């Protein structure tokens, strides 16, 4: 893995130095995520022997807080909790505090995510797990607002002093659970034979029961792209010729490509949609999501030769080349959701901007991408998204399809040039071997 200090982190460091704030031990790390926390008043340690040995020596519980640089709720919790002197005083007095970049240390992230799930707590990031001084997990959670976090810290401090034996017994059980082999976890036999077609039918039936038949995807909000599900459905269709499986792939891929989860101006997909319609994303973009989606849309094109899928593939490749490629040729890890302290600010548009940029074409553009004068998301904020195919739009507005395609290409070029003048979200410039592979 290669990692560097992205521009956003240099700004944070410089601002803190000007304020004469002493750094914590994360200042010596190379991960952009860890550097973002280097001037927190929390006495963070990176994962390593120094922190673990101190926990044993001082007989203190350990807090392991795991996140990544493009994680919106990680930033929110940092601002509400880890930048607070009041919260930091409690954390520093009662815990050994360790920060982990989940992309840099997926091994640690997986262990404690498994522990959280063994506690029947829904996983996610930021991932905050409390351990005994011997590094065995006994409690955890994800995002906590300041008041809840302070309450939890105080309750755990009391429990560690007054109910130590019960905590250690729980930790022992959770440690046992996370040490199960994959065979034990999933009830597999080591002599298991190849899959039978009946196994595939069962897997399909389980997925089908959760299909959103109106907007694509599975389940309700929030919606993740989940490329492996649709690659399975494509291959299931190949073996069974189940038309419903293929129809659901098409519905899902069409809706995602039309939605706000897809960057209609610059290409590439956001991490997930906060609603069931694929309209409002958490705006961070991850390298590995887009790598999997490139594979999915390319493979889908073999079964459904849609011009839309081809455009998605080529535009996403252009985005990776333009914004995610290092001078040495490696690929960066992620782009943040926030810029200038506001989620999505880099990607949204107001009505006046479009009117000024596109002049006589503005009205047609606003129909094509469903803009509203007062905003289609929040007040005066529009997320570009589509509801009609080019063919349907051409028929509705009496414009030739080739002329429409030329206009859309010109619109995207104009808006991309304008957007590039804005302050960009931070880029996590780690170059991870596994993701690049």
């Amino acid at each position: 893995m290669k990692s560097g200090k992205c521009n956003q982190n240099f700004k944070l460091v410089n601002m803190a130095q000007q304020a004469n704030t002493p750094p914590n031990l994360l200042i010596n790390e190379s991960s952009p995520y860890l550097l973002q926390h280097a001037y927190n008043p929390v006495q963070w340690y990176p994962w390593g022997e120094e922190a673990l040995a101190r926990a044993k020596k001082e007989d203190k519980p350990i807090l392991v807080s795991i996140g990544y640089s493009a994680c919106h709720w990680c930033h929110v919790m940092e601002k509400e909790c880890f930048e607070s002197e009041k919260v930091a005083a409690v954390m520093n007095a009662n815990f050994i505090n360790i920060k982990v970049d989940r992309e840099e240390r997926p091994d640690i992230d997986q262990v404690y995510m498994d522990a959280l799930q063994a506690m029947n707590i829904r996983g996610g990031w930021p991932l905050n797990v409390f351990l005994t001084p011997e590094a065995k997990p006994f409690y955890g959670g994800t995002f906590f607002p300041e008041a809840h976090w302070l309450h939890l810290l105080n309750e755990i401090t009391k429990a560690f002093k007054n109910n130590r034996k019960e905590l250690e017994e729980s930790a022992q059980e959770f440690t046992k659970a996370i040490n199960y082999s994959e065979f034990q976890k999933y009830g597999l036999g080591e002599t298991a034979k190849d899959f039978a077609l009946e196994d595939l039918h069962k897997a399909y039936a389980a997925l089908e029961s959760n299909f959103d038949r109106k907007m694509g995807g599975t389940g309700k909000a929030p919606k993740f792209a989940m490329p492996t599900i649709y690659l399975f459905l494509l291959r299931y269709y190949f073996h069974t010729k189940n038309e419903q499986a293929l129809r659901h792939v098409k519905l899902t891929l069409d809706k995602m490509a039309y939605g706000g989860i897809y960057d209609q101006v610059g290409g590439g997909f956001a991490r997930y949609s906060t609603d069931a319609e694929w309209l409002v994303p958490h705006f961070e973009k991850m390298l590995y999501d887009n790598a999997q989606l490139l594979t999915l849309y390319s493979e889908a094109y073999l079964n459904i030769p849609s011009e839309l899928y081809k455009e998605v593939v080529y535009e996403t490749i252009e985005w990776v080349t333009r914004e995610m490629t290092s001078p040495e040729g490696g690929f960066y890890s992620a782009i943040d959701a926030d810029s200038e302290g506001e989620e999505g600010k880099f990607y949204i548009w107001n009505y006046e901007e479009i009117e000024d940029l596109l002049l006589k074409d503005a009205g047609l553009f606003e129909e094509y991408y469903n803009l509203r004068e007062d905003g289609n998301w929040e007040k005066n904020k529009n997320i570009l998204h589509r509801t009609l195919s080019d063919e349907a739009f051409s028929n509705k507005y009496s414009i030739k399809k080739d002329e429409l395609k030329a206009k859309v290409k010109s619109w995207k070029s104009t808006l991309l040039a304008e957007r590039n003048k804005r302050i960009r979200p931070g880029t996590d410039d780690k170059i991870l071997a596994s993701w690049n592979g």
Side-chain angles (χ1 to χ4, degrees):
M1 180 202 82
K2 176 189 172 182
S3 179
K5 301 181 181 181
C6 68
N7 292 335
Q8 182 175 341
N9 292 310
F10 277 133
K11 289 176 187 174
L12 289 169
V13 170
N14 289 337
M15 286 169 61
Q17 285 173 334
Q18 288 167 12
N20 297 315
T21 305
N24 56 52
L25 291 175
L26 299 183
I27 194 66
N28 299 315
E29 297 299 300
S30 59
S31 156
Y33 176 68
L34 298 184
L35 287 168
Q36 285 170 1
H37 292 78
Y39 283 90
N40 293 165
V42 176
Q43 293 169 6
W44 292 117
Y45 282 82
W47 180 271
E49 278 304 314
E50 184 179 358
L52 299 175
R54 185 180 167 197
K56 287 182 181 178
K57 181 181 178 183
E58 298 185 12
D59 196 34
K60 284 184 177 178
I62 301 166
L63 165 67
V64 177
S65 182
I66 304 173
Y68 57 100
S69 71
C71 167
H72 172 72
W73 290 106
C74 298
H75 297 324
V76 175
M77 190 164 178
E78 179 190 16
K79 188 172 184 61
E80 290 191 16
C81 299
F82 305 144
E83 291 181 359
S84 162
E85 296 283 353
K86 179 181 177 182
V87 173
V90 176
M91 292 175 66
N92 294 339
N94 300 298
F95 299 89
I96 301 302
N97 304 292
I98 300 176
K99 254 292 167 198
V100 175
D101 181 340
R102 68 171 285 249
E103 297 165 358
E104 189 175 55
R105 293 301 304 266
D107 53 337
I108 297 169
D109 177 58
Q110 189 62 58
V111 166
Y112 293 117
M113 186 63 76
D114 286 348
L116 200 68
Q117 289 165 349
M119 298 171 195
N120 290 318
I121 298 172
R122 185 174 177 178
W125 298 277
L127 174 61
N128 294 292
V129 183
F130 294 92
L131 322 177
T132 67
E134 292 73 35
K136 295 179 180 179
F138 61 83
Y139 190 72
T142 53
F143 171 80
F144 294 90
E146 181 180 2
H148 292 181
W149 183 242
L150 272 171
H151 177 73
L152 178 61
L153 294 173
N154 288 322
E155 289 301 305
I156 286 179
T157 301
K158 283 186 218 169
F160 188 75
K161 289 177 182 174
N162 302 326
N163 303 98
R164 179 78 172 263
K165 185 179 178 184
E166 290 90 334
L167 283 186
E168 289 181 343
E169 287 172 356
S170 294
Q172 191 62 37
E173 288 303 308
F174 293 133
T175 301
K176 192 187 300 182
I178 63 180
N179 284 330
Y180 286 149
S181 71
E182 299 299 300
F183 288 108
Q184 290 170 309
K185 279 184 195 175
Y186 302 111
L188 302 173
E190 297 199 30
T191 58
K193 297 180 180 178
D194 292 341
F195 280 108
L197 193 57
E198 184 57 34
D199 296 320
L200 301 183
H201 291 325
K202 287 178 182 176
Y204 173 74
L207 290 171
E208 185 187 27
S209 66
N210 205 28
F211 283 173
D212 180 341
R213 299 179 188 277
K214 181 182 178 183
M215 294 304 299
T218 57
K220 300 176 182 178
K223 278 185 175 173
F224 288 78
M226 305 295 283
T228 51
I229 289 177
Y230 305 101
L231 286 168
F232 167 79
L233 293 179
L234 284 170
R235 290 157 193 180
Y236 181 73
Y237 169 75
F238 175 83
H239 287 288
T240 65
K241 300 298 180 258
N242 182 318
E243 291 292 336
Q244 174 56 36
L246 191 64
R247 280 197 297 273
H248 195 66
V249 172
K250 184 179 188 307
L251 174 65
T252 301
L253 268 58
D254 286 356
K255 293 294 186 183
M256 287 199 302
Y258 287 163
I261 192 173
Y262 183 68
D263 181 353
Q264 301 291 338
V265 170
F269 289 86
R271 180 94 174 99
Y272 65 94
S273 174
T274 61
D275 54 36
E277 288 75 40
W278 307 106
L279 171 60
V280 182
H282 264 316
F283 290 85
E284 66 264 32
K285 289 178 169 181
M286 311 295 291
L287 180 68
Y288 67 94
D289 288 334
N290 282 280
Q292 289 181 302
L293 285 161
L294 279 172
T295 300
L296 172 60
Y297 275 88
S298 299
E299 191 163 317
Y301 185 82
L302 299 176
N303 294 281
I304 310 164
S306 164
E307 190 66 24
L308 175 66
Y309 300 173
K310 186 176 179 181
E311 287 172 4
V312 164
V313 168
Y314 278 94
E315 287 176 356
T316 300
I317 289 171
E318 286 173 10
W319 163 70
V320 171
T321 303
R322 183 179 65 246
E323 299 184 31
M324 296 290 282
T325 306
S326 74
E328 301 91 345
F331 300 120
Y332 299 139
S333 293
I335 296 178
D336 205 339
D338 301 7
S339 56
E340 301 180 78
E342 185 177 324
E343 185 186 5
K345 185 171 184 179
F346 185 71
Y347 299 100
I348 57 174
W349 301 88
N350 65 48
Y351 214 72
E352 292 74 21
E353 284 178 303
I354 299 302
E355 297 279 331
D356 290 344
L357 285 169
L358 300 181
L359 303 175
K360 62 183 175 130
D361 258 0
L364 193 64
F365 176 95
E366 288 152 5
E367 293 296 325
Y368 188 80
Y369 285 116
N370 298 282
L371 273 67
R372 294 181 193 157
E373 194 162 358
D374 59 348
N376 62 22
W377 174 33
E378 296 175 343
K379 186 172 176 58
N380 298 324
K381 296 178 181 179
N382 285 285
I383 299 172
L384 304 189
H385 68 286
R386 297 171 56 187
T387 52
L388 296 175
S389 68
D390 280 352
E391 185 175 5
F393 190 90
S394 298
N395 292 336
K396 182 175 180 179
Y397 292 95
S398 303
I399 181 173
K400 291 180 180 177
K401 193 174 174 182
D402 287 347
E403 184 183 349
L404 175 64
K405 287 184 76 67
K407 282 183 178 294
V408 170
K409 185 177 180 181
S410 173
W411 294 340
K412 289 182 178 183
S413 177
T414 299
L415 265 65
L416 186 61
E418 182 66 21
R419 195 171 78 177
N420 285 338
K421 298 174 186 176
R422 298 175 177 176
I423 296 173
R424 298 184 59 80
T427 298
D428 187 327
D429 60 0
K430 290 195 309 295
I431 297 172
L432 298 164
S434 58
W435 292 12
N436 272 251

